[in-house]
Amino acid sequence: MFNIILFGPPGSGKGTQSEKLISKYGLKHLSTGDLLRHEISRQTSLGKEAQNFMDKGHLVPDEVVIGMISSALDENPSAKGFLFDGFPRTSAQAEALDNLLQLKNAPISAMLAMDVTEDELIKRLLKRGETSGRSDDNNEEVIRARIIEYHTKTAIVADYYKKFNKAVMINGEGTIDDIFERLCTEIDKRI
Ligand code: B4P
């Protein structure tokens, strides 16, 4: 089993690159953002709780997202590997993921961290906000709150994977195809 994490601040292109990577490598895509938005669109109690946090640009509580990922892993017993997109976002989530994957004897092979300047992140997210209908994208204050959450709670997760020599920095600026090529070069060294 080949498991990778796509890591980076909001708007760094995790969702965009994930679509291309899963189709090339046949991995199962697990995006906590997509799973949460699905719960919101169905107006489940989990979705309603998550929406309160997401609308403010805050992270959703660890126990909620860890539970979702645990169920998604159980629902895909024959996957040849997973691409984790937007998860883990806190140290507690990183430790929980290690524990879950240990049970499957299938560790993380690499964490690919996309590096993008703050100005470019804000520009991308505001542009997406014009058409996406996502309430967390069309307000610059909320976008800035998401970037602050990233710096205070998420950036530290890269150190966790650096300790195990699994963190790989990728330049996340340029064309979507150029960035995809950089990601594939690193994956091909490890697969
Ligand atoms: P997510 O859904 O994970 O997404 P994201 O951070 O908004 O963006 P992503 O990096 O995927 O950007 P994308 O490719 O779409 O998170 C949303 C919210 O959910 C979080 O704020 C949080 O509240 C909650 N959440 C999710 N996971 C959680 C967790 N584990 N724990 C707690 N809370 C959690 O790209 C953005 C835009 O840029 C797109 O419009 C795209 O077209 C454009 N773009 C991409 N690449 C480009 C390029 N190279 N050049 C120009 N534009 C580009």
Side-chain angles (χ1 to χ4, degrees), residues 10 13-16 32 37 58 60 86 89 93 128 134 146 174:
K14 302 182 295 288
T16 305
T32 38
R37 282 184 288 277
H58 295 163
V60 174
R89 261 176 155 102
Q93 292 179 20
R128 182 170 67 184
R134 272 179 60 169
R146 289 161 66 191

Side-chain angles (χ1 to χ4, degrees), residues 36 47 50 74 76 83 93 97 102 123:
L36 290 166
D74 289 344
N76 292 281
L83 189 163
Q93 292 179 20
L97 180 60
Q102 206 164 26
K123 201 170 80 189

Side-chain angles (χ1 to χ4, degrees), residues 8-17 31-34 36-37 53-54 57-61 65 85-89 93 120 124-125 128 134 136-137 146 172-176 179:
S12 55
K14 302 182 295 288
T16 305
Q17 297 295 337
S31 155
T32 38
D34 287 351
L36 290 166
R37 282 184 288 277
F53 292 94
M54 292 167 76
H58 295 163
L59 292 181
V60 174
V65 266
D85 161 7
F87 181 90
R89 261 176 155 102
Q93 292 179 20
E120 173 72 11
R124 287 183 190 178
L125 291 173
R128 182 170 67 184
R134 272 179 60 169
D136 58 347
D137 277 349
R146 289 161 66 191
E173 293 195 20
T175 69
I176 289 172
I179 299 163

